[in-house]
Amino acid sequence: MDHREFDWQKALSGAVGPGDLIADKYSVEDLAGVGGMGFVLSARHTKLNERVAIKFLKPARLTNPKARQRFDREAQATFRIRSEHVVRVHDVDELPGGIPYMIMEHLRGRSLKQVLADEGPLEIATAVLYVLQANDAIAQAHALG
């Protein structure tokens, strides 16, 4: 699904909209992306003026206990990994209605999918570098169990 077609305000049952505060300090800006299990909003920390990403579990997944557990495990595991190749998780919580979210660093740039669409196949050295970076992150995740 193209993320421009995803109605994130409806997904959050109108509980959060542009300009609203989450956790009394993150001002919601806009939709940053949509994945299979969740979606990400861009926001700004009101005191630090730092951009963050807020990941939510999609509402259709909220009734699935395994999806909720997976979301929680993802937040815990990602928080523990210290790698320049893994997004940093700063906090986890729930909206008053019970929708879980995690506060993460906001990354700038393009996805690998977008790079390939824009530029075509990667040079071998670049592809190898990306694989090595991913392997570093996976190795750290495995080391942490």
Side-chain angles (χ1 to χ4, degrees), residues 112-129:
L112 179 58
K113 181 179 181 179
Q114 189 62 53
V115 169
L116 294 173
D118 292 347
E119 301 171 19
L122 300 173
E123 296 287 328
I124 291 173
T126 302
V128 169
L129 177 63

Side-chain angles (χ1 to χ4, degrees), residues 83 85 127-142:
S83 171
H85 308 298
V128 169
L129 177 63
Y130 290 171
V131 170
L132 290 173
Q133 291 172 352
N135 283 344
D136 175 64
I138 291 168
Q140 287 195 38
H142 281 284

